[in-house]
Amino acid sequence: MLQRVFVRHKSSFSATVRLPQTKFPGRTDQHAVQTQLLPQVTTELYDWNNRREVKSIQELFILHDGPPYANGDLHIGHALNKILKDIIVRFELLSGKKVHYRPGWDCHGLPIELKALEQIAQHKKTRKKEIKRKLKTSPNPELEAELAALEARLKPLEIIELCKQHALSTQQSQSAQFQRMGIMGDFANPYRTLDKNFVARQLRVFKRLFDNNLIKRQEKPVYWGCENATALAEGELEYNPEHRSTAVYVKFPLEHPPEAFGPQPVYALIWTSTPWTLAANRAISVNENMAYTIVESKGDRLIVAQKLVNSLRTIDPELRETDIQIPGSELLGCRYRNLLLVGGSQDTSLPILHGDHVTDSAGTGLVHTAPGHGQDDYFVCLKHSIQPYSPVNEHGKYTDELPDNDLQELVGLRVLGEGTQKMVAKLEKLRLCYHLDPNYTHSYPYDWRSKKPIIIRSTPQWFIDVGKIKAVTTELLQKNVQFFPPRGSNRLVSFINLRNEWCISRQRSWGVPIPVVYHKQTGEPLINDLVIERISQVIAAEDVESWFGESPMEKWIPSECNVNPDDYVRGTDTMDVWFDSGSSWTLVEQFLESTGLLPQAVARGYLADVYLEGSDQHRGWFQSSVLTKIGATAPGEPAVLPYGKIITHGFTLDEKGDKMSKSLGNTIVPVDIVEGNKAKKVPGLGIDGLRLWVAQADYTSDMAVGPVILNRVADVVKKLRFTFRFLLGNIGDMEQTVDYAQLDAMDRYILSRLASFEKKARQCYEAHNYSKIIKDMNQLVNVDLSSLYFDIRKDPLYTDFADSLKRRSTQTVFVEVLKVLTSVLAPIMPIMAQEAWNHSPELVTDGLRSSFMRGWYEVPQQYLNPELEAEMEQLLKLSHQIKTAIDKTLRSTETMKMASETEIYVDVAPETALGALVSKYEAQMTEYLMVSKFHLNTERPKDVLLETTDGDISIAVTRTDLDKCPRCWRYAVEGPAELCKRCTEVVACT
Ligand SMILES: [Zn+2]
């Protein structure tokens, strides 16, 4: 409808008509965006913000950036995450706070190491081919030497150098991409977990945890990824519900069965889906509180839990139950023989123990226990001083630590492959197998990176003793942290509650070293305050290369340790990357210290105001941040949380609800949306359009992105641009505003709607409900402004005296609308808001360079007028009824095209509420309806075109006898080609 405004009047009076004039462009000027607008709303604005002084913590807002991983290009999820953060930061800036947003990057870890190794492998391959080809024609000692060097394995330092280059170049590329999305922050000074100062800080966090006795080294079963030969944390697993294992029921003979069982042999029946661990069997666990019985099958007598007899019948219909019953407690102390161990030097006689984890929900109620291959097994055995044992190497293959009998044939076999088959064959040969299911389908953990099933294996690892701090941590989280959406609280707390230990050591090169040295002969670790502090100092000065390179040990072991440094070597383990990013709160602490506000932050109990990430970070960064922060609290110090509020978002899916992936071909990347992508049917939305897509979505759950939604967003962007153009185009000649007292009902109604919108928008920003702001904004722009106010006020704007009250009143309202829109939209669409601001007169801007500098525009309280809104809404409802009648009339006649050609007759009883209302506004109805004349409760002419009655009200439409004024196009003159009264006066004065 707005486009119509810009259609030129072709009458001879066009010179006397004031059509909108503005330099605000009808289309985005990309050159202006890149050279002027983007810098204005990012770097220039952040610099201005940085110069602000703050005296109290309430005047400061810190959003601490969860570092994205410095690998690969940005996907739509990155854009969503950073834009949400930017909206929050900008709203706080607009609300008068100084903001602190320092982008970060997570730079260590396996994916970067693998990527770097892959690149170098490719390079080496090409070079080797080249050399070999040259060597064929003539011998060349130099090339031969180079070839030998290329064949050699990479040293850790070489790997580190490659990883560093890869991480830094990715970081720079991602940073540039983020800045192109209009993200504002300290991009000139990002934090990177590979920076030596960051590493030194992280090592001091480790030291604080060590001082608090929270760091320990243990031989323990850990999740293990065989492909990359490293320990994995809980957070690095994903479960495959369709995993297939070979499951097997195994019978172990009891050595001296209790008398109650009778004289014949009795077997303990266990069930396992990891038969490869049976060589490491060290006990059978039962539950002392459960009842057990003996069943007979194929001539064997088997002990099973009473409650599981029926479920066993499904695999063994011939199974017969006996009347022998025995409580679990009486099985304790019995011993059985693990016949797999026969022929070797190991004792084959093993105990039956109690385990709390044993239930009667599945299996047999007797649980194979291998302390080197299971967490529960480990704890049961710990109580009885049975050591973990796992004869499996880092690649998931059996080692010669297997029992020294014929099981040695299995050495070198993959436990998840041939190793399992051979072990099962062995069981069958020994007649230990009661039942076999080669295709047992169940949910099984996979390494989220290699996408391969993991194993559990015991190795000496470094742990944080989470059990010691989880109670205080979860209590503080529940008491002092706000969660949005609120369900995040339970998620985070329950993840922490499930955790007793956090394995922080990794057997990789690209990471922060665990600051420990080991004795060359005994392998005993030397770890103390002095060593950790020295290592932190050297790394802060020289970076991690000196740790992984060749340097004398005396550099790392202070003389106060009273040991011979030459007896020691540096450890090669690195830290879990979640520990890296988890320690980034130290930067917030440092910033607060630099402003002198740290004591105030400590007093309020948290450092940063907001952490905002995807909801998967409940088991990642939110957790590692709070655990390292609370764990690092010195005795006697108050516990301070890293954050006061946690906001989470869901993930992006395509419009069918599928995950986006390259193989499905449904990926949409941020640049597709900003610049458009014809092949994907995605319109170019510009930076603001991409941001608007984020704002209009309900980010608390998963969000769809695709051509349908993006085209809808494109329409909103267009509509807003036309709205700004119309507003700006009509206030160019304005010198001063009209007092509120002089405004008419329609002006006041629009101001009241504007006031409601502004107040509600502020509440929504505070509640992080951005989609509601966009919904309300669409309502305001499309309904209240575009189809109502703009439409009926075009006439006075274009054709009245320049300083007629109606025209000046309309302009006054426009100025208020501009003030509100440039303020409310600035956090979401900063570029368009700034562009409108740049084209606005001083009446709007007060001469300031940005709406952020003015601050949130709060409309005067008196604008809010709920009674008037209610009244007008009644009237608009009636108008709608009348307009429907007009449309119907126009459709049925061929000679009339416009509502302005009609006259309206309304009959409504004056004593009714509606009747009273219509008579109150009788004089305005012609204007509101944009018809030639409006008649209330008068006699109707005979030639009525349409008549309709609805309850108390009756409406009639006729064709007017009046003619069209050639200047203003209203049907208001008695003869053709004559000017109407108003136009005659206006033209006479110009
Ligand atoms: Zn006229």
Side-chain angles (χ1 to χ4, degrees):
M1 195 173 290
L2 270 170
Q3 272 112 320
R4 225 171 61 209
V5 173
F6 296 96
V7 172
R8 295 195 66 83
H9 277 236
K10 282 188 184 147
S11 79
S12 54
F13 299 100
S14 58
T16 71
V17 173
R18 281 180 198 80
L19 290 182
Q21 278 190 341
T22 175
K23 288 189 177 140
F24 184 87
R27 299 175 65 113
T28 315
D29 173 357
Q30 284 308 335
H31 181 70
V33 170
Q34 293 304 327
T35 57
Q36 185 199 1
L37 295 167
L38 199 53
Q40 247 189 316
V41 298
T42 55
T43 42
E44 284 173 31
L45 190 57
Y46 201 72
D47 286 347
W48 170 80
N49 163 70
N50 261 348
R51 290 193 296 273
R52 290 174 129 182
E53 291 217 357
V54 281
K55 292 197 176 58
S56 84
I57 195 92
Q58 285 78 28
E59 298 168 33
L60 183 67
F61 178 83
I62 303 173
L63 192 150
H64 182 48
D65 193 29
Y69 199 57
N71 190 24
D73 275 327
L74 298 187
H75 53 71
I76 195 79
H78 286 114
L80 168 82
N81 175 275
K82 280 288 195 286
I83 290 170
L84 280 174
K85 287 174 180 167
D86 195 58
I87 291 173
I88 292 175
V89 168
R90 284 179 188 274
F91 171 68
E92 296 294 336
L93 179 66
L94 192 61
S95 303
K97 289 194 181 174
K98 175 176 179 145
V99 297
H100 177 72
Y101 177 65
R102 185 181 181 189
W105 273 270
D106 201 359
C107 300
H108 288 131
L110 195 54
I112 289 176
E113 192 171 332
L114 294 178
K115 185 86 195 172
L117 290 174
E118 186 188 299
Q119 282 172 351
I120 192 71
Q122 196 55 44
H123 170 78
K124 275 186 166 185
K125 207 171 143 192
T126 323
R127 181 70 188 142
K128 275 196 276 190
K129 258 191 195 163
E130 221 175 83
I131 295 175
K132 280 178 185 164
R133 209 181 51 232
K134 283 184 186 165
L135 285 176
K136 264 186 194 165
T137 54
S138 65
N140 180 333
E142 261 175 49
L143 285 179
E144 270 161 21
E146 194 186 335
L147 188 63
L150 286 169
E151 302 283 2
R153 275 189 65 164
L154 283 176
K155 295 192 182 85
L157 263 189
E158 291 173 299
I159 298 175
I160 287 169
E161 198 41 50
L162 289 168
C163 293
K164 199 171 218 171
Q165 282 170 15
H166 177 73
L168 285 175
S169 74
T170 311
Q171 182 261 319
Q172 274 153 19
S173 145
Q174 288 189 354
S175 174
Q177 294 174 62
F178 282 138
Q179 291 177 74
R180 283 199 292 272
M181 293 174 197
I183 310 297
M184 176 188 69
D186 200 352
F187 280 93
N189 184 30
Y191 80 85
R192 295 175 296 213
T193 60
L194 59 70
D195 290 331
K196 58 186 183 182
N197 289 329
F198 190 96
V199 173
R201 263 169 218 293
Q202 181 178 337
L203 291 175
R204 295 213 167 88
V205 172
F206 180 88
K207 178 168 173 277
R208 280 154 80 172
L209 291 163
F210 175 79
D211 289 344
N212 289 338
N213 211 9
L214 292 170
I215 301 282
K216 56 185 185 181
R217 185 180 192 240
Q218 280 179 341
E219 173 92 13
K220 262 203 73 174
V222 290
Y223 298 114
W224 191 270
C226 304
E227 271 60 35
N228 297 310
T230 185
L232 298 166
E234 186 94 44
E236 293 168 307
L237 306 179
E238 49 188 35
Y239 283 80
N240 174 7
E242 300 293 323
H243 180 79
R244 283 184 187 194
S245 296
T246 299
V248 55
Y249 288 84
V250 181
K251 46 189 198 185
F252 289 119
L254 245 57
E255 283 192 323
H256 304 287
E259 272 178 29
F261 288 180
Q264 300 101 317
V266 178
Y267 295 86
L269 187 69
I270 63 99
W271 174 89
T272 178
S273 59
T274 54
W276 59 269
T277 62
L278 284 166
N281 172 277
R282 283 289 181 268
I284 288 175
S285 299
V286 297
N287 192 315
E288 60 190 12
N289 302 315
M290 278 162 39
Y292 290 82
T293 184
I294 290 186
V295 295
E296 292 179 354
S297 171
K298 297 163 200 150
D300 284 334
R301 302 168 76 237
L302 311 164
I303 312 172
V304 299
Q306 184 115 45
K307 285 207 176 143
L308 289 162
V309 173
N310 280 336
S311 76
L312 280 172
R313 270 209 184 90
T314 59
I315 56 164
D316 180 9
E318 288 163 36
L319 180 145
R320 211 175 58 78
E321 200 175 347
T322 66
D323 54 4
I324 300 170
Q325 284 188 14
I326 185 166
S329 55
E330 282 187 31
L331 287 171
L332 305 181
C334 290
R335 295 184 76 85
Y336 67 96
R337 289 185 76 207
N338 182 347
L339 299 178
L340 283 168
L341 309 180
V342 170
S345 56
Q346 268 178 18
D347 193 353
T348 57
S349 166
L350 298 169
I352 294 180
L353 307 172
H354 164 74
D356 286 326
H357 65 292
V358 179
T359 65
D360 53 16
S361 58
T364 64
L366 293 91
V367 177
H368 153 56
T369 302
H373 295 300
Q375 317 278 358
D376 293 323
D377 315 41
Y378 169 79
F379 284 110
V380 166
C381 290
L382 191 65
K383 282 190 195 151
H384 298 274
S385 307
I386 301 169
Q387 292 306 310
Y389 159 65
S390 61
V392 178
N393 72 10
E394 67 271 30
H395 303 297
K397 294 176 176 170
Y398 281 124
T399 67
D400 59 7
E401 292 160 278
L402 272 170
D404 49 353
N405 56 11
D406 51 5
L407 282 175
Q408 287 289 320
E409 292 164 18
L410 274 60
V411 172
L413 299 181
R414 280 183 55 242
V415 298
L416 289 184
E418 216 185 330
T420 292
Q421 291 164 20
K422 285 268 166 71
M423 186 63 77
V424 170
K426 194 115 255 168
L427 292 170
E428 287 185 315
K429 194 175 153 206
L430 291 167
R431 296 175 182 281
L432 297 178
C433 204
Y434 163 70
H435 180 80
L436 181 74
D437 179 357
N439 282 312
Y440 173 66
T441 307
H442 61 143
S443 177
Y444 190 86
Y446 277 51
D447 177 350
W448 75 350
R449 298 208 179 90
S450 71
K451 309 286 176 202
K452 291 280 161 46
I454 59 108
I455 60 169
I456 293 175
R457 154 175 195 262
S458 83
T459 54
Q461 299 287 346
W462 291 95
F463 293 89
I464 293 177
D465 194 345
V466 177
K468 280 189 187 158
I469 50 168
K470 70 180 179 184
V472 51
T473 305
T474 51
E475 193 194 329
L476 281 167
L477 285 171
Q478 282 166 318
K479 231 169 54 190
N480 296 340
V481 177
Q482 283 184 56
F483 285 83
F484 186 81
R487 59 180 179 266
S489 173
N490 276 341
R491 267 176 76 88
L492 182 55
V493 166
S494 66
F495 279 131
I496 293 177
N497 273 331
L498 280 173
R499 199 164 193 179
N500 286 311
E501 271 142 348
W502 171 9
C503 176
I504 55 164
S505 44
R506 294 290 182 277
Q507 289 65 50
R508 302 303 309 181
S509 303
W510 180 230
V512 174
I514 301 232
V516 183
V517 294
Y518 297 86
H519 193 271
K520 275 181 188 166
Q521 260 81 52
T522 64
E524 270 305 298
L526 174 64
I527 178 169
N528 60 43
D529 256 16
L530 295 167
V531 173
I532 304 174
E533 182 54 35
R534 169 65 67 87
I535 295 171
S536 314
Q537 280 169 6
V538 176
I539 289 180
E542 302 179 4
D543 218 333
V544 293
E545 281 88 336
S546 52
W547 173 267
F548 291 109
E550 283 162 21
S551 55
M553 282 306 293
E554 64 198 10
K555 189 173 184 172
W556 305 98
I557 304 177
S559 56
E560 294 93 313
C561 288
N562 292 321
V563 296
N564 178 5
D566 292 338
D567 291 342
Y568 287 84
V569 290
R570 296 188 287 283
T572 56
D573 284 359
T574 51
M575 281 195 216
D576 179 9
V577 288
W578 291 115
F579 195 114
D580 297 13
S581 55
S583 351
S584 64
W585 51 263
T586 53
L587 299 171
V588 183
E589 201 174 61
Q590 176 203 20
F591 170 73
L592 283 164
E593 203 150 23
S594 74
T595 60
L597 297 174
L598 185 58
Q600 290 185 39
V602 169
R604 73 178 179 181
Y606 59 88
L607 298 177
D609 293 270
V610 169
Y611 273 38
L612 179 154
E613 302 301 330
S615 55
D616 55 341
Q617 297 303 327
H618 288 120
R619 60 174 208 178
W621 190 56
F622 298 144
Q623 201 182 125
S624 66
S625 297
V626 76
L627 292 175
T628 52
K629 180 76 188 84
I630 299 301
T633 309
E637 242 178 36
V640 178
L641 289 157
Y643 36 67
K645 189 188 264 188
I646 284 183
I647 303 173
T648 47
H649 58 77
F651 299 92
T652 48
L653 305 171
D654 74 4
E655 283 174 335
K656 288 182 203 143
D658 290 327
K659 243 176 142 173
M660 285 196 254
S661 74
K662 280 194 182 137
S663 55
L664 285 176
N666 62 352
T667 50
I668 291 177
V669 293
V671 71
D672 290 336
I673 301 180
V674 173
E675 293 173 8
N677 183 324
K678 276 198 182 129
K680 296 177 184 171
K681 296 184 186 143
V682 171
L685 297 183
I687 295 167
D688 276 343
L690 171 65
R691 299 173 60 103
L692 184 63
W693 167 72
V694 171
Q696 58 82 45
D698 172 12
Y699 63 86
T700 60
S701 46
D702 291 346
M703 285 144 288
V705 60
V708 177
I709 288 153
L710 293 171
N711 274 298
R712 227 180 283 149
V713 173
D715 288 342
V716 178
V717 176
K718 262 183 233 158
K719 185 84 192 188
L720 266 173
R721 178 161 285 281
F722 277 117
T723 303
F724 276 126
R725 208 160 123 79
F726 187 70
L727 291 165
L728 291 166
N730 281 298
I731 56 168
D733 68 335
M734 194 183 177
E735 276 149 20
Q736 68 182 73
T737 53
V738 173
D739 280 349
Y740 184 75
Q742 284 181 278
L743 299 178
D744 75 8
M746 182 55 79
D747 300 324
R748 290 182 184 196
Y749 169 66
I750 294 299
L751 287 181
S752 185
R753 296 287 300 147
L754 193 65
S756 307
F757 169 68
E758 180 264 303
K759 306 259 174 286
K760 184 79 199 164
R762 184 163 195 153
Q763 286 166 13
C764 288
Y765 270 118
E766 280 160 2
H768 309 294
N769 184 356
Y770 312 115
S771 60
K772 174 78 174 126
I773 298 172
I774 299 305
K775 225 172 135 188
D776 290 351
M777 188 268 301
N778 280 333
Q779 168 80 17
L780 178 82
V781 166
N782 294 335
V783 180
D784 301 320
L785 296 177
S786 185
S787 5
L788 176 67
Y789 194 61
F790 290 176
D791 237 19
I792 64 177
R793 288 303 167 87
K794 265 175 233 160
D795 175 68
L797 283 171
Y798 299 172
T799 57
D800 263 10
F801 280 108
D803 56 358
S804 83
L805 180 61
K806 188 153 271 176
R807 193 163 178 274
R808 292 297 187 220
S809 299
T810 308
Q811 291 177 323
T812 299
V813 173
F814 280 16
V815 165
E816 291 298 296
V817 173
L818 273 168
K819 283 182 179 178
V820 169
L821 285 184
T822 52
S823 169
V824 171
L825 286 179
I828 294 170
M829 303 178 71
I831 293 179
M832 200 190 282
Q834 183 68 48
E835 195 177 12
W837 187 270
N838 291 351
H839 288 89
S840 290
E842 218 177 300
L843 278 169
V844 175
T845 65
D846 296 331
L848 294 168
R849 283 181 31 243
S850 144
S851 59
F852 289 100
M853 295 175 187
R854 178 193 54 201
W856 180 268
Y857 179 65
E858 200 174 342
V859 301
Q861 193 60 37
Q862 63 174 348
Y863 288 2
L864 210 52
N865 190 340
E867 295 85 40
L868 177 65
E869 279 198 42
E871 225 171 69
M872 289 301 271
E873 258 136 44
Q874 280 298 108
L875 214 56
L876 290 172
K877 225 170 113 188
L878 172 65
S879 297
H880 182 74
Q881 267 178 289
I882 297 171
K883 281 179 178 163
T884 310
I886 295 174
D887 284 344
K888 217 169 156 189
T889 314
L890 293 178
R891 275 200 303 275
S892 65
T893 56
E894 296 215 332
T895 50
M896 274 200 313
K897 288 201 169 57
M898 308 287 290
S900 51
E901 297 170 61
T902 63
E903 293 192 18
I904 302 301
Y905 291 80
V906 166
D907 283 355
V908 54
E911 64 275 11
T912 63
L914 187 61
L917 189 64
V918 181
S919 54
K920 182 174 170 187
Y921 288 98
E922 188 183 350
Q924 283 82 37
M925 288 307 283
T926 307
E927 181 196 356
Y928 293 175
L929 294 168
M930 293 189 292
V931 293
S932 177
K933 268 185 188 169
F934 177 80
H935 310 269
L936 180 63
N937 295 333
T938 56
E939 201 185 323
R940 294 180 182 183
K942 292 211 173 60
D943 50 354
V944 164
L945 296 169
L946 184 130
E947 211 157 12
T948 161
T949 305
D950 180 10
D952 293 341
I953 189 151
S954 159
I955 298 162
V957 183
T958 65
R959 179 203 292 269
T960 183
D961 290 335
L962 296 174
D963 271 310
K964 184 176 171 182
C965 165
R967 181 169 176 271
C968 69
W969 296 4
R970 289 185 306 163
Y971 282 76
V973 290
E974 301 286 346
E978 266 180 54
L979 284 183
C980 72
K981 185 166 169 284
R982 186 264 319 267
C983 287
T984 312
E985 287 169 14
V986 174
V987 169
C989 293
T990 45

